[in-house]
Each structure stands twice: as C-alpha cells, then as structure tokens.
Amino acid sequence: MSCNTQQENKASHLKLWYQQPAKSGTLSNAAIVKRNDLEWLKALPIGNGSLGAMVYGDVNNEHIQLNEETMWSGGPSDNDNLEAFSALSDIRNLLFEGKYKEATTLTKQTQICKGAGTGLGKGANVPFGCFQTLGDLWLDFDSTGSFENYHRELDLDEAVVRVSYSQNGVNYKREYFVSYPDQALVVKLTANKPQSISFKSTLTRPELYQTKSTENELVMQGALSNGSGGKGLEYIARLSAKNKNGTLNFNNGFLEVKKADEVVLYLTASTNYKLSYPDFTGRLYEEISAKNLEDVQQKAYESVLVSHVNDYQKYYKRVQLKLTSSLDTIPTDLRLKTFKSNNKKSDLHLVELLYQYGRYLLISSSRPGTLPANLQGIWANELQTPWNGDYHTDVNVQMNYWPSEVANLGEMHLPLFSLMEMLQKPGAKTAKVHYNANGWVVHPVTNVWGFTAPGERSDWGMHVGAGAWLTTHIMEHYYFTLNEDFLKSKFPVLKGATQFYLDWLIPDPKTKKLISGPSVSPENKFIAPDGSMSKICMAPAHDQQVIWQLFQNYIDACNALGIQDDFLNEVQQAQQQLQGPQIGADGRLLEWNEAFEEIEKGHRHISHLYALHPGFQIDLKETPELANAARNSLDYRIKHGGGHTGWSSAWLINQYARLGEGGLAENSLKTLLSKKISPNLFGQHPPFQIDANFGATAGISEMLLQSHTNEIRLLPALPVSWKSGEVKGLCTKGGFVVDLKWEAGELIQAQVHSKKGGVAALSYKDNVINLETKAGETIQVPL
C-alpha cells in the first residue's frame, strides 16, 4: 500500500546536498586516477539495480564513475575438497576429547577449499573473481577559472542528482539519473545562454578495455580475466548524445561537443553473464545494450525523466518518516561534521535522511531480475574491490535485506532468493563432497559463479550456518506478504537447506542433544581448554540458533502449504532435540557450547545473539531470562569496544530495539553517524560497506514497529529525544501496513491497513488490542 500524500514541493524533499563538487581527476590523467580516493566517498550514487554511477559534479572536469551489476572477473571453478568427509569424524572426536589444537590442524589440512579460493580478499586475479568497476565517463569542459553559486544534490524523492553553478556570466545546470524503465544512465546539460556548452568526452577503464567511436556513439568493450590466464566475462558500454544547436561529433574514441545550447547524454551497458549460468558464447549482450540505447534516444528527455521518477516513487513513496519540522538549511557534509563535533547531540533530520537514504540505496541496487546488492551495493570504483565486493553470508548480505520487508520494499528482496536458487546445484555438490549430506550448503562467502566451498582459511572459512541464515529470508518474505505462490516456488530451496542440516547434526556424546560442527562462531575465537587459540568447535550458539530458526521456518512453511509428511515429523523432532541457548555463570548468553574466554572481548560480530535479532527464538516478553542474558552480552561487547565497525553498530541498533531499549538503540545509531559515515552518507567498515546503511534503516524501523512475534508492537523502542513524530507505510508480518503518530513520547494515532485480512494483535506498552480485519480494509485503531 502506498501512502496517499499530496505531491510535495521540491524544496521540501529529502536531499543530500553540498556547496562544492567532489574533486576528480581529469580526462588527461584518467589512467592514473587513484581508485580509492577519499573524494569518491563524496560523490553521489545513482542506480537502477543493474547500472550504477557515482557523480562527482566537478565543474571543469566532470567524472562519472560507472558500474554494471555483473562486472565480475573470475569464473566457475571446483573448489570442493575431496579429503573433507573422510576426516570429518576424526575432527569431531578430537573436539569432543578437548584436543582443539589437533582438531584445528586437521581442519586446516582437510576441510578448507582447494585451489586459489577467494584469494584472501584478493580475488581479482584468481578464479573466485571480484566485482569491479565498469569504468569512467569523463566530460572535459571547454572552460577554466573560478565558479560561484555552486550547488550539488541528490534528491531522494526523485532519485536525481542535480548540479548548478555560475561561471563566466553563465548559469549552468546538470541532471543525472539511472532509469529502470529505460535501462540507461541519462545526463542533461543546460545553460541560460546559447552556445555555452562545449566539452570533450570519452570512456575509460583501468585495464582491459578499448574505446572506439562510430558515426553516432562511443563504444567501450573488453573481456575480464577469468583468473586462470584466460578470457572471462565480456562487457560493453555505449555512449550517445543529442544536442540542441552547436555541433556534435564522434571521432577517435571521443565525443566532441561545441557551442551547444543543450546536450543529453545516454549510456547503456551489458555483459554476457547470466544469473542461472555463465554464457561466454552468445553475443546477445551487445544487442541488448544497443537496443536500450536506440530506444531511449527516441524518447523526449522529459518523458524519460517522468517515467524514471514514477517508477522509482511507486516504491520510495510508500514510507514517510517525520521526526522534525525544521527546514534543512545546512549542507549534508557540514551537518554531519557538526554532529560529530557536537558530542553526538541528536540531529533528527539526519536520522530521517539516513533512514530514507537506506531505502533509496536498496531501490537503486536491488531490483527484481537483477543480482542482489553486494558488499558495496553496486558501487565500486576499483578492480580489486575490498573483500572482492562479494556476498559475505555470515551477516553482510543478509543485513542488506533487513529493511526490505518492514520498510515496504518487499520486491527488492527478490534478487536474494534468485541467488539462493542459483547456489542449489553447486551447494548440493559441496554438501555431498564435504559432509556426505543431502540438500545444499554454502559457507561464509559466495559469488556470482556459484562458489559454495569453505573459505581457504579455517579460522573464518568454516562457518557452516550460512545456508540456514540465508533461507530464513524466504519465510520472512512470506510472513510479511502471505503470498502462497511465492512460497510454493521457493519451497524446494527451503527444504534443500533443511535437508542438509538434518543430515549434518549429530548427537552430543554427553547430553545427547543434536549439535552442529565442526564450525565457528563468525568470526570470533577463544582460548580452548588445552590452551590453544581456536575458532573451530562443536555447537557454537550461532549455528544452533540459525538451525532452530530454519527448522521453525520449514515447519511454518509446511503448515501454510498444507504439507504433512514423515520429513516434517523428522524436522519437528530434531528441532526439539537441538542444543538451545545457554546462559553462563556470569549471566551472559554463551557464544560457544562451553564458557570459553574470548580472545577479542569486543569482537565486531554478535552472531551468538542471532536468536534475538534477526531471529525470534529469544524475545523480551516471551523468554525474558534469555533476553536479559542477551542484553548482558551486548553490554559486555560494547564495554570492551564492540560495535566498532559500521555494520556492527547498525546491528546493535536492531538488537537494542528488540530489547525495548530506545535510548541504547539511539546511542548505537549516534555511534554509527559520528564514526562510520562518509560525507556522502555511505557506511564504513571501514572501508565502505553498504550493509551499515541498510542495517541502520532496519534498526530505525525496529525502534518504531516490530512484528517478530505473534503481536505487532507499536513504538517499542522510542528514544526520549524523538518526542513527536509520525511514520507511515511500515509493514508487519501478516500483511499489515501501519501508520503511527506520537506527541510528547505518547502514541496518539494509529492506523492499520490489512492486505489479507485476519487478526492484528496490536501491542502498545502493556495494552493489547486484537483487531479483526478484512482484506483491503483500513482501520483507525482505538487508543
């Protein structure tokens, strides 16, 4: 359900805005521009899920850094270790005997992947591969000297970047956007005096490219390395232009414009990658980019812009968050700088901005039919992107999608499910080779080529809970939409993951409880009883929790689809036999199956608290003792320096929100804003990782509305500083859309729209209202 609001004046739109450009290189030194320049973190992102761009906004030498979602080096490779299964029982026995040092040694020898693997984060030149920049679009203007009245903005309401300035008595304007309907980057350049626009343009890339000109376009084309000395993925980018007056020519790999009144640039790109399987033989990708370019050029600019805005706003406009009525009179970089130097005093507009920016980034980096948002969304300016720009499955890619359902962007969730479907076949092979198990498995990292083996180092690569964690998203989408057709289509993926863990679990020799292992608690380590430093263990709490969640999801899916069979009975029995969460003598939730001492007490991961968030095995009301133990664990982590990365600060927002601690959730949000946010509001690990942005948006949503249990909690973790405000369009499990308004910290208005009908159990403070609804009905809640 979209919120019914009148079209606002553009002046009231949420914007990131600046009074200076991000400094760029020039066309003449394009080949040696520093790829990880801090100025890139001042450029503004635009995208449509498949094509992305970072706009610098430089006056004399404009630089637009480009990305295409499938620009991956490397290729399919077999990294499964044939020695793994034969050593599995020996490793388990060593761990049961307390011989952690020997177990770790044997794990390193037999369980990790074969071959170059992920290259320890250096995948650009090995088969695992790396998400890479598509290249750069340069506009070298025929102008020099100073300029004034400079303004650069990203309008979140319209997904358009605008630049304006005055130079030599002329007022210039530029507009940039990436259209989903037209699959093109579009740039419009105008001036208030005729014959004022002259520039030279080309496309470049740090390596493996050739740019040539035809009669009416520039074409940049090449093939990436497959990591084994051969040719990998092929790509193409095309640039064309339309001018009003003046001249426009394509020559020697350049576009030259002289004395035009107006110019519109169009850029399209494509590769020969297919999500379901790599296709290195066909040439269809060249035709796709050519057709997209031809089609968009035939339309009037205003038509293309309106189509883009309408398509984007059908998602973005669904949710409104208003915490302050004050006007935004401070440039974003200065606002952020002031916040950081002002002892983290609350800035409600900055909260609004960060919240909707997360939604903007998700719409811009994940659309139905595209690849999921990776570690950097779709924005990466290097050949060797940090951590390969891959899909880390021990929290990061999952965090990317935490806001998708509650923040009313369920369609953006779909690419994650497509990735899981693609992983089934290689994951089934890994499951059989490594564990002699049915179903499918994936470990802590994966890529677009279907990598499912453990990483090449046992200290982090032996996280085996990723498949369980990933597939919980399938049911999360169902819980919110109640879409049975969707659930039926994804049920095989869910069942395959369940089959694997049912086979992988074994009884603990002492307790007879079903436990997992050998595995790790991502990515933490401990001092073992034999004095060694270890990560490898049996029954880490994280494994046990994600498996419990998966089994519960599978049971719920079967109930929803009317499935009753022997396999379901096995799952139900296994869930009851799992080693559940345990509380240590110090009152903290145990991270491992024993009270081991952590090596890093303020570790960035809080994986053993998965059951509190994003899972629902632990709840403040339903399991208060476990919730208190989780709270003790959180406090302990922070006391010892935890939450020191952007994404871990964002996770803390969500965790404290689930505990009803609005003040502590806000403190974690303030930590993120003060320490781990770039001038363009990109989150920092550091370096840039987009999960912090998505995690923050999810966390703010959790502070205002929760539905992880059988009730819908209204304003469950409202900070004191958020005295008055309103939010419209948040979604809950059961197919409900909720609007809330509060004053002086008290809820004064609530409205529920029911998509599917049924009972909405609304909880506010100590009161619960059971609201009977019909499909399509909107009800004002009696307070």
Side-chain angles (χ1 to χ4, degrees):
M1 176 189 178
S2 301
C3 298
N4 294 320
T5 59
Q6 294 181 347
Q7 181 66 34
E8 302 148 309
N9 186 289
K10 286 186 179 182
S12 69
H13 287 188
L14 282 174
K15 299 175 182 178
L16 282 67
W17 65 283
Y18 309 82
Q19 293 177 312
Q20 68 286 327
K23 298 177 182 178
S24 174
T26 65
L27 190 154
S28 60
N29 72 353
I32 59 172
V33 170
K34 187 177 179 183
R35 307 310 300 175
N36 62 350
D37 196 307
L38 292 178
E39 293 297 315
W40 187 77
L41 295 173
K42 300 175 184 176
L44 296 175
I46 50 178
N48 68 355
S50 57
L51 185 63
M54 296 290 288
V55 180
Y56 284 71
D58 191 85
V59 169
N60 298 319
N61 299 284
E62 175 63 292
H63 177 195
I64 305 172
Q65 185 265 317
L66 305 169
N67 288 103
E68 201 278 341
E69 58 164 340
T70 61
M71 282 289 287
W72 268 80
S73 63
S77 59
D78 185 352
N79 297 99
D80 292 332
N81 192 333
L82 297 178
E83 301 175 18
F85 179 67
S86 62
L88 184 62
S89 61
D90 290 339
I91 295 170
R92 287 170 166 170
N93 288 333
L94 287 169
L95 291 171
F96 287 138
E97 294 169 6
K99 298 177 181 179
Y100 287 84
K101 184 176 181 179
E102 293 90 337
T104 297
T105 298
L106 187 56
T107 300
K108 289 179 179 178
Q109 293 172 347
T110 63
Q111 300 301 300
I112 60 177
C113 68
K114 286 293 188 180
T118 62
L120 296 175
K122 301 293 182 183
N125 298 310
V126 298
F128 182 87
C130 179
F131 179 63
Q132 300 187 341
T133 179
L134 171 62
D136 303 274
L137 170 61
W138 301 91
L139 306 180
D140 189 358
F141 288 91
D142 186 16
S143 60
T144 57
S146 61
F147 53 89
E148 57 186 2
N149 301 322
Y150 184 91
H151 181 88
R152 177 170 60 106
E153 69 178 33
L154 167 57
D155 185 336
L156 297 183
D157 287 67
E158 296 187 349
V160 175
V161 167
R162 298 184 179 91
V163 172
S164 60
Y165 58 92
S166 300
Q167 187 177 42
N168 300 324
V170 181
N171 296 330
Y172 293 92
K173 292 183 179 180
R174 306 176 192 167
E175 285 188 322
Y176 316 70
F177 61 91
V178 181
S179 167
Y180 179 82
D182 287 296
Q183 290 295 303
L185 165 68
V186 183
V187 182
K188 183 181 182 182
L189 311 169
T190 59
N192 70 337
K193 293 184 180 180
Q195 301 183 359
S196 295
I197 301 176
S198 298
F199 63 89
K200 188 176 183 181
S201 179
T202 195
L203 293 166
T204 68
R205 196 172 182 275
E207 66 172 19
L208 303 176
Y209 82 97
Q210 180 182 23
T211 299
K212 61 183 180 181
S213 51
T214 67
E215 182 179 350
N216 55 12
E217 67 180 18
L218 291 183
V219 178
M220 180 175 71
Q221 198 164 9
L224 305 185
S225 167
N226 71 353
S228 300
K231 184 174 74 170
L233 177 141
E234 298 176 13
Y235 69 90
I236 190 169
R238 302 175 184 271
L239 178 73
S240 67
K242 291 198 299 188
N243 60 310
K244 187 176 292 185
N245 297 324
T247 61
L248 185 155
N249 294 291
F250 294 88
N251 285 302
N252 299 318
F254 289 91
L255 160 64
E256 292 187 72
V257 174
K258 294 184 178 179
K259 296 184 177 181
D261 300 343
E262 173 184 301
V263 178
V264 180
L265 302 174
Y266 305 94
L267 184 141
T268 62
S270 53
T271 77
N272 66 340
Y273 176 82
K274 291 185 179 180
L275 180 61
S276 57
Y277 58 92
D279 171 21
F280 291 117
T281 57
R283 312 302 296 184
L284 180 63
Y285 76 102
E286 295 178 319
E287 299 172 13
I288 291 172
S289 60
K291 184 67 163 58
N292 287 340
L293 191 64
E294 178 185 0
D295 290 348
V296 71
Q297 287 182 108
Q298 293 177 357
K299 301 176 183 179
Y301 172 81
E302 287 301 324
S303 173
V304 176
L305 176 60
V306 168
S307 178
H308 156 71
V309 172
N310 288 342
D311 170 77
Y312 167 76
Q313 286 188 343
K314 72 184 180 185
Y315 303 114
Y316 179 80
K317 285 290 188 180
R318 291 173 180 174
V319 174
Q320 295 179 21
L321 173 64
K322 185 176 181 181
L323 300 176
T324 176
S325 58
S326 61
L327 296 176
D328 181 17
T329 59
I330 307 172
T332 304
D333 53 338
L334 295 182
R335 179 180 286 276
L336 189 61
K337 184 177 180 180
T338 299
F339 177 81
K340 292 179 178 181
S341 64
N342 201 19
N343 198 27
K344 298 194 292 186
K345 182 180 179 182
S346 295
D347 184 332
L348 300 182
H349 178 76
L350 197 55
V351 174
E352 294 173 339
L353 194 62
L354 187 69
Y355 180 80
Q356 293 288 23
Y357 188 51
R359 296 183 69 249
Y360 165 83
L361 292 173
L362 188 57
I363 299 169
S364 302
S365 63
S366 182
R367 289 290 194 102
T370 70
L371 289 171
N374 62 45
L375 278 172
Q376 296 196 192
I378 54 169
W379 299 281
N381 67 331
E382 301 177 59
L383 296 176
Q384 180 54 66
T385 307
W387 297 287
N388 303 320
D390 64 23
Y391 300 107
H392 273 43
T393 54
D394 57 0
V395 66
N396 310 96
V397 71
Q398 291 95 333
M399 186 180 288
N400 285 359
Y401 290 92
W402 285 355
S404 56
E405 300 299 335
V406 65
N408 216 330
L409 296 175
E411 297 91 337
M412 310 306 131
H413 212 166
L414 299 180
L416 185 63
F417 310 135
S418 297
L419 179 69
M420 293 180 217
E421 289 178 312
M422 186 268 284
L423 293 176
Q424 283 184 102
K425 184 176 180 179
K429 178 177 175 295
T430 298
K432 187 60 67 175
V433 170
H434 278 254
Y435 308 105
N436 194 31
N438 294 306
W440 65 276
V441 67
V442 64
H443 292 80
V445 294
T446 189
N447 59 14
V448 301
W449 309 117
F451 184 95
T452 54
E456 67 270 84
R457 275 180 31 189
S458 61
D459 59 351
W460 60 266
M462 282 301 296
H463 172 239
V464 193
W469 194 340
L470 280 172
T471 47
T472 61
H473 281 254
I474 292 175
M475 281 306 290
E476 190 75 359
H477 186 70
Y478 173 75
Y479 290 142
F480 275 78
T481 64
L482 302 183
N483 185 332
E484 288 192 13
D485 290 337
F486 163 81
L487 185 57
K488 288 177 183 176
S489 69
K490 300 300 181 286
F491 185 76
V493 182
L494 187 66
K495 183 173 182 178
T498 306
Q499 287 174 316
F500 168 77
Y501 291 103
L502 207 59
D503 286 352
W504 187 51
L505 291 166
I506 62 170
D508 185 303
K510 295 180 180 178
T511 67
K512 308 305 178 185
K513 293 285 188 179
L514 288 179
I515 61 172
S516 57
S519 188
V520 299
S521 181
E523 297 170 7
N524 209 354
K525 52 191 172 185
F526 58 90
I527 299 175
D530 61 4
S532 65
M533 185 174 69
S534 181
K535 287 190 176 180
I536 299 298
C537 64
M538 295 299 294
H542 173 75
D543 273 7
Q544 299 296 123
Q545 293 171 14
V546 296
I547 295 170
W548 182 94
Q549 187 76 45
L550 171 62
F551 286 176
Q552 187 60 52
N553 290 155
Y554 183 80
I555 293 167
D556 290 348
C558 288
N559 290 336
L561 297 177
I563 296 172
Q564 182 64 54
D565 56 20
D566 291 342
F567 184 72
L568 174 60
N569 292 335
E570 289 182 51
V571 174
Q572 291 172 322
Q573 292 174 14
Q575 187 192 40
Q576 294 172 3
Q577 296 168 357
L578 285 172
Q579 171 66 68
Q582 302 176 82
I583 301 174
D586 61 358
R588 288 187 291 149
L589 208 66
L590 289 187
E591 183 164 0
W592 296 279
N593 206 29
E594 299 178 49
F596 297 140
E597 180 183 351
E598 308 99 316
I599 299 296
E600 186 181 344
K601 293 178 173 57
H603 197 267
R604 62 193 178 277
H605 280 262
I606 46 175
S607 304
H608 62 303
L609 305 183
Y610 170 90
L612 175 65
H613 178 277
F616 53 73
Q617 186 179 7
I618 296 176
D619 177 65
L620 183 62
K621 290 185 179 181
E622 298 182 2
T623 59
E625 186 179 4
L626 289 173
N628 186 60
R631 161 70 187 268
N632 292 337
S633 295
L634 283 176
D635 292 347
Y636 186 88
R637 276 284 207 270
I638 292 178
K639 178 182 177 181
H640 291 87
H644 53 271
T645 67
W647 61 264
S648 57
S649 294
W651 198 352
L652 290 173
I653 302 169
N654 290 270
Q655 293 274 354
Y656 277 123
R658 284 281 173 93
L659 291 170
E661 296 283 0
L664 294 175
E666 185 189 25
N667 286 344
S668 298
L669 176 58
K670 289 179 177 180
T671 297
L672 175 64
L673 284 167
S674 63
K675 296 182 178 180
K676 301 299 178 182
I677 293 293
S678 305
N680 65 358
L681 300 191
F682 269 171
Q684 289 281 306
H685 177 89
F688 163 51
Q689 282 185 200
I690 203 166
D691 38 29
N693 293 100
F694 296 136
T697 295
I700 293 168
S701 299
E702 287 280 343
M703 294 165 75
L704 300 172
L705 189 70
Q706 296 174 14
S707 62
H708 57 282
T709 63
N710 291 324
E711 62 183 26
I712 299 169
R713 295 173 185 168
L714 312 181
L715 304 182
L718 187 70
V720 173
S721 63
W722 298 6
K723 296 178 181 178
S724 299
E726 61 181 313
V727 64
K728 296 181 178 181
L730 293 183
C731 294
T732 76
K733 291 183 177 181
F736 300 105
V737 184
V738 178
D739 300 347
L740 303 173
K741 187 174 184 178
W742 65 95
E743 290 182 2
E746 295 291 327
L747 183 65
I748 63 168
Q749 186 175 316
Q751 177 177 286
V752 174
H753 174 79
S754 176
K755 295 180 179 180
K756 298 288 187 176
V759 177
L762 305 174
S763 171
Y764 177 63
K765 296 187 175 179
D766 294 328
N767 299 317
V768 177
I769 299 174
N770 290 308
L771 209 62
E772 294 279 355
T773 73
K774 298 177 181 178
E777 185 178 23
T778 300
I779 300 175
Q780 292 291 333
V781 181
L783 297 176

